[in-house]
Amino acid sequence: MSDEHKDLYYHASFHEDHYDVIDETGAYNSQKPLYSIAGSSTYGSSHGFDPSSYMSFTECLHGSMDYNSLAKAFGMSPSSSEPFSSIEGNPKPVEVGDLGGGGNSTENPVTPNSSVSFSSSEAGGEEDSGKVKKESPPKGSEQDGGECSKKEGKTKKKGEKKQREPRFAFMTKSEVDHLEDGYRWRKYGQKAVKNSPYPRSYYRCTTQKCTVKKRVERSFQDPSIVITTYEGQHNHPIPATLRGNAAAMFSHSMLTPAPIGTSRPTFPQDFLFHMAPHISNQVGAGAGSIYPQSLNNNQHLHHQYQVPDYGLLQDIVPSMFFKQEP
DNA sequence: CGTCTTTGACCTGCGC
DNA sequence: GCGCAGGTCAAAGACG
């Protein structure tokens, strides 16, 4: 494995979380990797992809995702006190790598190494530096839409580490930083990232009571790649008013076959994750690359990727990852 | 007027 | 203890 690959594919860590990425050979470079996902790259549109199995990105965030199951499916022990990879003080981000492949979409060919990586990390109680703001009300209360008073309560309990919501990171090749995912977000901050010329933006779901946040930053290794990290799960449906009927049609369209590489799907904005057949046994966990497909318009055309063979996936990929339609 | 972005300040945890 | 870096707040401004 060459470092070259890593560099090429983004071995940069997600800074605070140390998300590393693996190269196409499956080798990765991480401190505490739980498992990695490496994808194969080559795939011809002729394979015809099986649209019956996929899950929308939004849905994923929606709550239909069972972290434990996911973990289990991926070869991790779901039950234990570490759902995904949580470890006291040491988030074990699941990483994904390999941007190898991808392929090209008819309308917008993407470079071979353009794909999206997906990683997640759950923090049972990580410390995440700085993440905790004023530590006032336990995330629970303040969050709720409530912007409560900030600088006041320092009711932090000793030894009680703030619990972090599960997080999922996606690397998408795109020119736009903020990818449309069906939800409404409000930017609440932007920070320069160390060692990166690109700033990181912080967004929060505008829906009341929804505490989902997401961070968006561009890879400094490959500026064309946008890293989006979601934290938490939406506890509400997609805003119906968003982008017209996007939300409305979402429920249906997301289950509709989308011939990638042939015609652009007409779904609303969302991503479809596709798992690549390539399995890497890093750290004893199976993996596959997840290719997202933007459902938006031209704006995200570059998110269309070749779809890998689905065959193998069904067995390794957690069911919740796919939406099965009879 | 409501919503969203920008941006400097502030807070917190961590490493040295 | 100090400095650094990440994360968040909230005032101010832009926009429709």
Side-chain angles (χ1 to χ4, degrees):
Chain A
M1 27 222 55
S2 42
D3 292 354
E4 299 179 0
H5 274 72
K6 292 175 193 169
D7 287 333
L8 227 138
Y9 295 138
Y10 188 79
H11 73 304
S13 63
F14 276 26
H15 305 93
E16 78 277 348
D17 283 338
H18 303 302
Y19 288 169
D20 292 65
V21 173
I22 45 188
D23 59 24
E24 36 186 66
T25 66
Y28 67 96
N29 168 24
S30 172
Q31 298 171 19
K32 299 187 180 250
L34 228 201
Y35 76 79
S36 52
I37 298 181
S40 72
S41 36
T42 51
Y43 181 83
S45 52
S46 58
H47 279 65
F49 103 84
D50 173 4
S52 65
S53 48
Y54 60 75
M55 166 181 191
S56 76
F57 175 49
T58 302
E59 184 173 60
C60 168
L61 299 174
H62 225 12
S64 55
M65 166 97 68
D66 174 334
Y67 298 104
N68 284 334
S69 302
L70 218 181
K72 183 177 181 180
F74 273 102
M76 297 178 272
S77 51
S79 48
S80 60
S81 46
E82 0 183 349
F84 232 178
S85 52
S86 69
I87 325 176
E88 274 287 301
N90 254 322
K92 267 196 205 151
V94 171
E95 44 192 49
V96 186
D98 171 59
L99 314 178
N104 45 13
S105 74
T106 32
E107 310 204 16
N108 241 318
V110 282
T111 55
N113 62 343
S114 58
S115 69
V116 170
S117 294
F118 161 86
S119 67
S120 70
S121 85
E122 172 145 40
E126 55 187 37
E127 71 251 305
D128 227 63
S129 64
K131 226 154 228 191
V132 214
K133 61 175 185 190
K134 278 72 190 205
E135 283 303 338
S136 8
K139 198 163 204 175
S141 42
E142 89 179 88
Q143 46 179 313
D144 309 330
E147 306 306 296
C148 355
S149 44
K150 49 169 182 192
K151 320 186 157 184
E152 31 191 289
K154 299 202 160 178
T155 49
K156 167 192 271 177
K157 289 168 182 144
K158 276 184 191 153
E160 187 173 300
K161 293 195 172 177
K162 170 178 228 164
Q163 269 214 324
R164 181 185 267 308
E165 302 274 336
R167 293 191 285 175
F168 291 88
F170 302 86
M171 290 196 286
T172 309
K173 194 175 187 73
S174 171
E175 291 178 7
V176 292
D177 289 347
H178 193 183
L179 303 175
E180 185 58 69
D181 60 7
Y183 289 94
R184 300 184 60 171
W185 302 90
R186 177 177 187 169
K187 187 175 185 177
Y188 66 88
Q190 177 171 305
K191 286 284 286 187
V193 179
K194 190 184 180 187
N195 294 325
S196 173
Y198 307 99
R200 173 183 298 157
S201 297
Y202 298 87
Y203 296 87
R204 177 178 297 152
C205 181
T206 61
T207 302
Q208 279 197 335
K209 309 276 187 183
C210 182
T211 62
V212 178
K213 295 174 189 173
K214 79 172 176 182
R215 291 179 296 183
V216 177
E217 64 184 284
R218 201 165 274 284
S219 165
F220 71 92
Q221 293 284 333
D222 182 349
S224 65
I225 292 177
V226 175
I227 302 167
T228 304
T229 304
Y230 287 84
E231 182 177 329
Q233 292 180 66
H234 293 282
N235 55 12
H236 58 92
I238 299 174
T241 56
L242 186 66
R243 311 287 196 277
N245 313 322
M249 58 189 290
F250 174 69
S251 58
H252 300 311
S253 57
M254 98 182 149
L255 296 178
T256 305
I260 296 175
T262 350
S263 57
R264 195 192 332 159
T266 54
F267 305 170
Q269 47 281 13
D270 194 301
F271 294 100
L272 293 184
F273 289 112
H274 302 292
M275 303 292 287
H278 184 188
I279 302 304
S280 150
N281 281 314
Q282 289 294 324
V283 204
S289 213
I290 300 176
Y291 296 75
Q293 173 182 37
S294 171
L295 301 179
N296 213 342
N297 320 330
N298 310 315
Q299 180 189 15
H300 302 313
L301 277 181
H302 359 340
H303 296 310
Q304 290 188 15
Y305 298 91
Q306 301 262 34
V307 181
D309 175 8
Y310 265 85
L312 314 168
L313 302 179
Q314 302 300 316
D315 298 325
I316 11 175
V317 176
S319 58
M320 70 283 282
F321 247 61
F322 298 97
K323 193 79 180 183
Q324 300 280 1
E325 185 167 48

